[in-house]
């Protein structure tokens, strides 16, 4: 939700134009009691409420005033909403806070397109230089993100090491791909010390990045789970985590937990997916039964109608060409029988081609689909 705050008549007119353009995505925070607003109060009260309640915020105020209003509210880069300021004449939409993490850079462009004559102002270094930010690629990223991003911008040599074949946007010429394993550390992180420069690693392996390595986690893995009725969430979640750890795989590359439809409401599985931060996908028993697996069993066949739940669900979730990275394994609780089973599959990543245009043209002539690409 985008919160809208204004303080002047001109600001209210621009605010209302934006609210009309995005009726399902905006919430007006009243500062003067106009009808239909989310609640009246001072500008400070409106900004405070919007900051707490919305994912992003557009303030039709001066940047200096907005800075003073939001300064006491700042928590952290990962939690603060993106904030955009629009000036009195609606000439500029300034991405003020949360350019990448808060979505302010994209919001500034969207606001500028919605308000005639308005131009986006984005000062984030990667955006200004036309270089893709590591935290804008739609992938989990960890390690020395700021240091490697700075090196990319400064033109310093950066190695690109890909354990996973994943399409990436065009990178500057100082980022060079290498397949020379001699440049990598024993754990495969690609970071052999400060003197060896910077590394951008694309990997679903559970490597610990050094202070000059950033790791992009590709969406390559799916975990299939099966469980008896009433299986504890702790048991299911611990089994998945241990299966990944033993195989040397990162949980950040897991895109979903998969199981049979009959277990869609099994609380232990649902909670395990929530803890891992991934959706739960379910499949009909007949679809799972058609998937060849190395370890079929009579027990799930009798219980839910398929000889395999964990292995079949993992493979089905990863699609054509998937391989089983972790065969079915059972939990090992102390003093009782296992109530959960898990398997992990790795998908074969495929690229995607979109033809946007074959000649020059003004940006305002782009179709929404082309702009999205």
């Amino acid at each position: 939700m985008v919160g809208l705050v204004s303080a002047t008549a001109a600001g209210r007119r621009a605010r209302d134009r934006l609210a009309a353009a995005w009726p399902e995505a905006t919430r007006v925070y009243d500062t003067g009691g106009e009808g239909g607003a989310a609640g009246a109060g001072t500008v400070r009260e409106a900004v405070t409420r919007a900051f707490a309640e919305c994912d992003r915020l557009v303030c039709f105020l001066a940047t200096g005033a907005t800075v003073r209003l939001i300064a006491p509210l700042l928590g952290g880069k990962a939690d603060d909403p993106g904030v955009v300021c629009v000036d009195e004449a609606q000439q500029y939409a300034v991405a003020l806070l949360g350019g990448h993490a808060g979505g302010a850079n994209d919001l500034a462009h969207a606001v500028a397109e919605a308000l005639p004559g308005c131009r986006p102002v984005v000062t984030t270094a990667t955006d200004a230089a036309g270089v893709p930010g590591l935290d804008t690629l739609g992938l989990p990223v960890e390690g020395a993100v700021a240091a490697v991003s700075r090196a990319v911008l400064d033109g310093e040599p950066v190695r690109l090491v890909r354990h996973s074949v994943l399409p990436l946007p065009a990178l500057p010429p100082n980022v060079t791909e290498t397949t020379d394993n001699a440049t990598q550390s024993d754990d495969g992180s690609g970071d052999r010390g400060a003197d060896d420069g910077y590394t951008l690693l694309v990997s679903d392996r559970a490597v610990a990045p050094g202070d000059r390595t950033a790791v992009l986690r590709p969406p390559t893995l799916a975990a299939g789970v099966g469980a008896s009725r009433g299986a504890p969430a702790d048991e299911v979640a611990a089994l998945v985590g241990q299966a990944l750890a033993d195989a040397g795989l990162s949980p950040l590359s897991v895109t979903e937990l998969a199981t049979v439809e009959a277990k869609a409401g099994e609380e232990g599985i649902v909670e395990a997916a929530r803890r891992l931060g991934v959706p739960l996908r379910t499949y009909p028993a007949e679809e799972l039964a058609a998937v060849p697996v190395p370890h079929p069993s009579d027990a799930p066949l009798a219980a839910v109608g398929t000889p395999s739940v964990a292995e079949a669900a993992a493979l089905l979730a990863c699609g054509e060409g998937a391989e089983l990275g972790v065969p079915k394994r059972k939990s090992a609780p102390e003093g009782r029988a296992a109530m959960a089973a898990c398997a992990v599959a790795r998908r074969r990543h495929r690229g995607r081609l979109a033809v946007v245009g074959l000649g020059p043209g003004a940006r305002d002539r782009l179709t929404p689909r082309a702009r999205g690409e």
Side-chain angles (χ1 to χ4, degrees):
M1 184 63 66
V2 179
L4 307 179
V5 179
S6 60
T8 67
R12 285 192 290 272
R13 287 193 294 271
R15 177 204 68 188
D16 292 343
R17 188 179 296 120
L18 204 59
W22 305 336
E24 303 298 324
T26 55
R27 180 183 301 165
V28 172
Y29 286 82
D30 186 13
T31 59
E34 305 102 316
T42 67
V43 174
R44 181 176 296 278
E45 290 169 342
V47 169
T48 300
R49 287 187 57 205
F51 198 92
E53 297 172 356
C54 297
D55 302 314
R56 293 172 293 170
L57 178 60
V58 179
C59 295
F60 295 88
L61 306 166
T63 54
T66 306
V67 167
R68 286 190 292 272
L69 290 169
I70 67 173
L73 310 176
L74 299 180
K77 183 176 181 178
D79 302 315
D80 292 335
V83 178
V84 169
C85 284
V86 178
D87 65 288
E88 183 81 357
Q90 295 116 59
Q91 290 184 304
Y92 303 103
V94 182
L96 185 67
L97 176 72
H100 286 166
N105 291 354
D106 290 339
L107 181 60
H109 284 281
V111 169
E113 290 186 2
L115 299 177
C118 190
R119 297 170 59 188
V121 178
V122 174
T123 59
T124 307
T126 50
D127 294 68
V131 175
L134 300 183
D135 55 351
T136 66
L137 301 180
L139 301 175
V141 58
E142 59 182 336
V145 179
V148 174
S149 297
R150 187 72 260 168
V152 172
L153 284 169
D154 289 345
E156 296 189 44
V158 177
R159 287 193 305 271
L160 172 62
V161 179
R162 283 195 257 206
H163 296 163
S164 300
V165 180
L166 180 74
L168 294 174
L171 295 169
N174 58 305
V175 181
T176 55
E177 186 158 7
T178 177
T179 56
D180 181 8
N181 289 329
T183 66
Q184 300 177 40
S185 62
D186 293 338
D187 64 4
S189 67
D191 192 1
R192 296 187 63 86
D195 294 338
D196 288 336
Y198 296 91
T199 299
L200 176 59
L201 176 65
V202 182
S203 180
D204 59 13
R205 302 180 194 173
V207 297
D211 59 6
R212 290 195 169 199
T213 297
V215 185
L216 287 170
R217 296 300 187 183
T220 53
L221 307 175
V225 291
S228 304
R229 180 174 297 179
D234 288 346
E235 184 172 344
V236 179
L239 175 62
V240 174
Q242 194 61 51
L244 292 167
D246 290 348
L249 299 173
S250 170
L252 292 178
S253 284
V254 177
T255 60
E256 60 213 300
L257 251 59
T259 191
V260 66
E261 278 185 352
K263 296 295 180 179
E266 187 64 49
E267 187 174 339
I269 297 179
V270 173
E271 174 62 16
R274 188 195 68 78
R275 293 183 189 181
L276 195 58
V278 298
L280 177 63
R281 178 181 292 191
T282 62
Y283 295 97
E286 56 268 25
E287 286 189 33
L288 296 176
V291 178
V293 296
H295 304 102
S297 173
D298 292 335
L301 180 62
V304 293
T306 172
S308 173
V309 173
E311 291 181 337
L315 289 168
L316 207 55
C318 285
E320 185 179 354
E323 60 181 20
L324 205 58
V326 180
K328 182 181 73 174
R329 57 186 292 172
K330 294 183 178 181
S331 55
E334 192 172 339
R336 62 170 174 82
M339 297 184 71
C342 168
V344 179
R346 178 185 274 124
R347 58 177 49 86
R348 183 177 63 182
H349 202 89
R350 300 185 63 184
R352 179 172 160 276
L353 175 66
V355 178
V356 174
L358 299 177
R363 183 172 177 82
D364 61 4
R365 292 175 182 260
L366 284 176
T367 64
R369 182 176 295 179
R371 186 177 295 111
E373 292 294 346

